[in-house]
Amino acid sequence: KRVGCSSISEERRRREAIAAATCLTEALVDHLNVGVAQAYVNQRKLDHEVKTLQVQAGQFSKQTAQWISMVEGFNQALKEIGDVENWARSIEVDMRTIATALEYVHKGQLTSASS
């Protein structure tokens, strides 16, 4: 009878060991699943952040292009103002030359008329 009890005890220990191993396996799998689930959630968040960053980068690129265009237009306007200023100086020099010539002619006529 003792041998029979021993075998029942061994069978019971074997079942308990299997049950414990099964519990351990389930606990490990659950732990891994939590990690995998968290990694999946993190990946989705990263994907969303990447898409948001791409949209913002595109908007920034468009805005930068607009700023560059505005600066180029401003530079062109400054060049044109400089061209007008140079043109005005040139006209002023020509007008002074003409005024001097007219004064010279006028003085010459006055001198001729006096004599």
Side-chain angles (χ1 to χ4, degrees), residues 50-70:
V50 165
K51 287 178 185 176
T52 301
L53 184 60
Q54 286 174 335
V55 168
Q56 290 175 347
Q59 291 171 345
F60 181 71
S61 177
K62 287 179 185 175
Q63 189 175 23
T64 302
Q66 289 174 342
W67 290 343
I68 289 171
S69 177
M70 287 174 56

Side-chain angles (χ1 to χ4, degrees), residues 14-57:
R14 188 177 71 76
R15 275 189 258 137
E16 287 174 356
I18 290 172
T22 301
C23 286
L24 176 63
T25 303
E26 288 175 357
L28 289 173
V29 168
D30 287 345
H31 180 72
L32 288 174
N33 283 341
V34 167
V36 169
Q38 187 62 48
Y40 177 74
V41 167
N42 290 344
Q43 182 63 44
R44 289 192 57 189
K45 286 180 183 176
L46 286 173
D47 289 344
H48 176 71
E49 291 296 323
V50 165
K51 287 178 185 176
T52 301
L53 184 60
Q54 286 174 335
V55 168
Q56 290 175 347

